[in-house]
């Protein structure tokens, strides 16, 4: 009983007029002082728009990026890296010296070799070797830069994806898209500068870190969009909330946030203000942009897109619509390539879903005059082993050699760079590590990768860490 009385007495004390002036005097005085300082130009200035246009280190070849991230790791041995010798070794154990020091994710490395499951042919004037699974991509072979000598440090999905996305296997680093937006800003202030869409069997294994902002302000992180239904969840006002009520509420919040921002200069407050205002503007712009039914029938047919459905094809068409409206970075995750078993059927299915829209996106950007300064990136987090897994129809994770392709944005068209050994196991020529790739991509965007850095916890942090060399052979 005495405890209840004490609590009631304490509550009453906090409601007294005397307590109000005693405890709130400092706060009221600080508000008055802040207003006086602002009038005299002494308060901390509000930072400029964090998404405003910025000047890179030098003139960029690429002004925007679309990243087609094939989560799960497609098999380079069935798609881009033709290995006739591997077919001769089908069912045999690999040479002992090949496996020295090698770690596999799941299989015993000393497993039988598995020959390629599909045929290859040369295409275009460049003579690029491409699998029969990719008939649409084969038609634009001369627009592609194919790198068959990629290498990474990770052999499991989450760390592999995070390394490919952020330059580190450690959570909490900014993604490539966040660095791009941080360095360049964005042209369209009515849409996010970095948009993410997903398809496939599930979301990316690396989760939100694949498109997060890490220690950069949250305004630079990727914003997930949906290809059907509301473009962004909870974008529309709930019932009973009018546009006028919403605007008045936002104005009041903005005033309070700006007062606090002027006092402490916290960039997260600026990010919050920007997010509220951007969401308000997106209520008008996003639904129109995401409505692909406005596209002509021949464009829908070219992509294989169907309005109202969620698909990779729809996402590719939406990516083009977002890019041409000034969105800086669009990333499409298609998580469906982890073929430990069911390799033949799985590849047929996924290539059937992605080949046509990928080729259509490159062709569409080119015919609209956008490919020249739009960087298109296609690839997964690593490759697949030449050794078999799952009976006779699967491959394990493989970091030592894999393939990615690129188009536009200053990449050299019609180039096939690098080689792996006769089994597709190790890179033997023109190795491109993930850090080298990041350095090269930043170069195309106008940045010297060693100078695009942010001081964090006493270190100058950057996408390439302390690594990375420019791969000049990839450049036009």
């Amino acid at each position: 009983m005495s405890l209840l009385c004490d609590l009631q007495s304490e509550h009453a004390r906090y409601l007294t007029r005397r307590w109000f002036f005693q405890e709130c005097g400092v706060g009221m005085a600080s508000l008055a002082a802040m207003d006086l300082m602002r009038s005299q130009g002494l308060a901390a200035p509000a930072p400029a728009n964090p998404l405003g246009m910025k000047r890179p280190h030098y003139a960029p070849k690429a002004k925007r990026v679309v990243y087609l991230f094939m989560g799960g790791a497609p098999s380079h041995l069935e798609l881009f890296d033709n290995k006739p010798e591997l077919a001769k070794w089908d069912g045999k154990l690999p040479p002992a010296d090949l496996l020295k020091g090698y770690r596999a994710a799941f299989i015993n490395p000393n497993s039988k070799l598995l020959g390629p499951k599909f045929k290859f042919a040369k295409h275009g004037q460049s003579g690029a070797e491409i699998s029969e699974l990719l008939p649409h991509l084969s038609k634009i072979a001369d627009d592609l830069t194919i790198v068959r000598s990629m290498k990474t440090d990770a052999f499991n999905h989450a760390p592999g994806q995070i390394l490919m996305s952020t330059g580190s296997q450690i959570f909490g680093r900014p993604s490539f898209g966040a660095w791009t937006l941080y360095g360049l800003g964005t042209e369209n202030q009515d849409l996010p500068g970095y948009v993410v869409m997903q398809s496939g069997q599930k979301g990316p294994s690396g989760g939100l870190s694949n498109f997060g902002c890490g220690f950069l302000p949250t305004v630079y992180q990727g914003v997930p969009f949906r290809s059907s239904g509301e473009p962004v969840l909870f974008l529309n006002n709930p019932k009973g909330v009018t546009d006028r009520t919403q605007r008045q509420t936002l104005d009041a919040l903005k005033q309070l946030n700006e007062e606090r921002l002027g006092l402490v200069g916290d960039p997260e407050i600026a990010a919050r203000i920007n997010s509220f205002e951007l969401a308000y503007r997106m209520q008008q712009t996003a639904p129109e942009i995401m409505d692909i039914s406005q596209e002509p029938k021949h464009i829908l047919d070219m992509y294989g897109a169907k309005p109202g459905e969620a698909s990779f094809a729809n996402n590719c068409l939406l990516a083009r619509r977002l890019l041409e409206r000034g969105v800086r970075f669009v990333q499409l995750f298609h998580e469906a390539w982890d073929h430990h078993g069911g390799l033949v059927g799985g590849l047929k299915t996924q290539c059937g879903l992605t080949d046509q829209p990928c080729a259509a996106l490159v062709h569409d950007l080119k015919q609209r005059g956008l490919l020249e300064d739009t960087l298109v990136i296609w690839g997964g987090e690593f490759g697949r082993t030449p050794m078999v897994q799952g009976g006779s129809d699967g491959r394990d994770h493989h970091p030592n050699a894999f393939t990615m392709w690129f188009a536009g944005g200053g990449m050299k068209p019609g180039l096939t760079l690098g080689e792996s050994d006769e089994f597709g196991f190790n890179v033997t020529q023109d190795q491109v590590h993930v850090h080298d790739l990041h350095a090269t991509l930043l170069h195309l965007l106008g940045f010297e990768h060693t100078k695009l850095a942010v001081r964090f916890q006493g270190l100058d942090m950057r996408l390439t860490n302390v690594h990375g060399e420019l791969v000049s052979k990839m450049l036009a």
Side-chain angles (χ1 to χ4, degrees), residues 73-145:
S75 173
H76 58 297
L77 299 170
E78 269 70 38
L79 299 181
F80 296 104
D81 202 357
N82 186 21
K83 296 299 174 187
E85 188 66 22
L86 180 60
K88 299 177 184 178
W89 282 71
D90 185 52
K92 301 177 183 178
L93 292 176
D97 59 343
L98 191 71
L99 304 178
K100 187 176 181 180
Y102 179 73
R103 293 178 61 196
F106 296 104
I107 65 170
N108 176 357
N110 194 32
S111 297
K112 293 179 180 180
L113 292 168
L114 179 67
K117 295 293 186 177
F118 297 95
K119 297 178 182 178
F120 283 74
K122 294 184 178 182
H123 296 275
Q125 294 182 356
S126 61
E129 282 193 292
I130 299 176
S131 168
E132 62 180 320
L133 288 171
L134 303 170
H136 295 276
L137 201 69
S138 299
K139 296 176 182 177
I140 61 164
D142 290 337
D143 293 318
L144 305 180
T145 304

Side-chain angles (χ1 to χ4, degrees), residues 50-354:
L51 292 177
M53 295 286 288
K54 302 170 188 175
R55 187 188 300 272
H57 300 141
Y58 38 79
K61 298 290 185 181
K63 297 180 180 178
R64 63 196 74 84
V65 179
V66 55
Y67 194 154
L68 312 174
F69 200 114
M70 302 293 109
S75 173
H76 58 297
L77 299 170
E78 269 70 38
L79 299 181
F80 296 104
D81 202 357
N82 186 21
K83 296 299 174 187
E85 188 66 22
L86 180 60
K88 299 177 184 178
W89 282 71
D90 185 52
K92 301 177 183 178
L93 292 176
D97 59 343
L98 191 71
L99 304 178
K100 187 176 181 180
Y102 179 73
R103 293 178 61 196
F106 296 104
I107 65 170
N108 176 357
N110 194 32
S111 297
K112 293 179 180 180
L113 292 168
L114 179 67
K117 295 293 186 177
F118 297 95
K119 297 178 182 178
F120 283 74
K122 294 184 178 182
H123 296 275
Q125 294 182 356
S126 61
E129 282 193 292
I130 299 176
S131 168
E132 62 180 320
L133 288 171
L134 303 170
H136 295 276
L137 201 69
S138 299
K139 296 176 182 177
I140 61 164
D142 290 337
D143 293 318
L144 305 180
T145 304
I146 301 173
V147 179
R148 299 188 301 189
S149 51
M150 290 298 305
K151 188 179 189 302
T152 184
D153 298 330
F155 58 76
N156 279 319
H157 295 295
Q161 290 183 6
I162 294 170
L163 176 61
M164 184 62 74
S165 296
T166 72
S168 173
Q169 297 183 51
I170 301 172
F171 287 99
R173 302 291 179 88
S175 62
F176 171 45
W179 279 114
T180 301
L181 190 57
Y182 169 77
L184 293 178
T186 186
E187 297 177 356
N188 192 329
Q189 299 300 312
D190 294 334
L191 289 167
Y194 181 10
V195 172
V196 176
M197 290 180 282
Q198 301 179 29
S199 58
Q201 298 166 352
K202 60 186 183 71
S205 299
L208 302 181
S209 293
N210 281 301
F211 48 91
C213 61
F215 44 76
L216 296 177
T218 52
V219 71
Y220 299 115
Q221 69 186 5
V223 177
F225 271 31
R226 303 191 306 162
S227 58
S228 62
E230 274 189 295
V232 180
L233 289 175
F234 312 116
L235 183 64
N236 296 330
N237 288 340
K239 292 182 179 179
V241 177
T242 64
D243 289 342
R244 181 182 179 186
T245 300
Q246 182 192 23
R247 187 65 260 174
Q248 290 174 336
T249 302
L250 289 173
D251 287 343
L253 284 171
K254 184 177 181 182
Q255 181 179 353
L256 292 171
N257 282 324
E258 285 179 340
E259 289 180 356
R260 184 63 179 171
L261 177 62
L263 179 64
V264 300
D266 184 355
E268 282 302 313
I269 300 176
R272 187 179 305 135
I273 295 171
N274 184 279
S275 295
F276 289 161
E277 294 300 320
L278 177 60
Y280 179 75
R281 297 192 298 271
M282 281 172 57
Q283 289 180 322
Q284 304 300 320
T285 58
E288 182 273 329
I289 288 176
M290 303 300 282
D291 182 11
I292 64 172
S293 66
Q294 300 176 15
E295 293 286 335
K297 183 179 183 302
H298 74 276
I299 295 293
L300 294 172
D301 292 343
M302 182 172 69
Y303 282 86
K306 298 178 181 179
E309 294 186 5
S311 68
F312 181 78
N314 282 19
N315 288 351
C316 283
L317 180 51
L318 288 168
R320 190 222 76 205
R321 290 171 63 86
L322 289 163
L323 291 169
E324 64 184 352
R325 284 164 173 80
V327 174
R328 180 71 68 188
F329 200 105
V330 180
Q331 193 159 18
L332 308 184
F333 287 94
H334 187 73
E335 181 89 13
W337 299 90
D338 191 21
H339 298 130
H340 293 275
L343 178 70
V344 171
L347 285 175
K348 286 181 177 179
T349 298
Q350 298 312 319
C351 289
L353 293 172
T354 62

Side-chain angles (χ1 to χ4, degrees), residues 81-83 98 386 401 419-428:
D81 202 357
N82 186 21
K83 296 299 174 187
L98 191 71
E419 293 181 6
S420 61
D421 60 33
E422 58 189 0
F423 303 110
F425 192 89
N426 289 316
V427 173
T428 58

Side-chain angles (χ1 to χ4, degrees), residues 57-58 179 182 447-454 461-462 464:
H57 300 141
Y58 38 79
W179 279 114
Y182 169 77
F447 297 106
E448 166 54 53
H449 73 99
T450 61
K451 296 179 180 179
L452 184 63
V454 169
M461 308 292 283
R462 65 185 209 228
T464 51

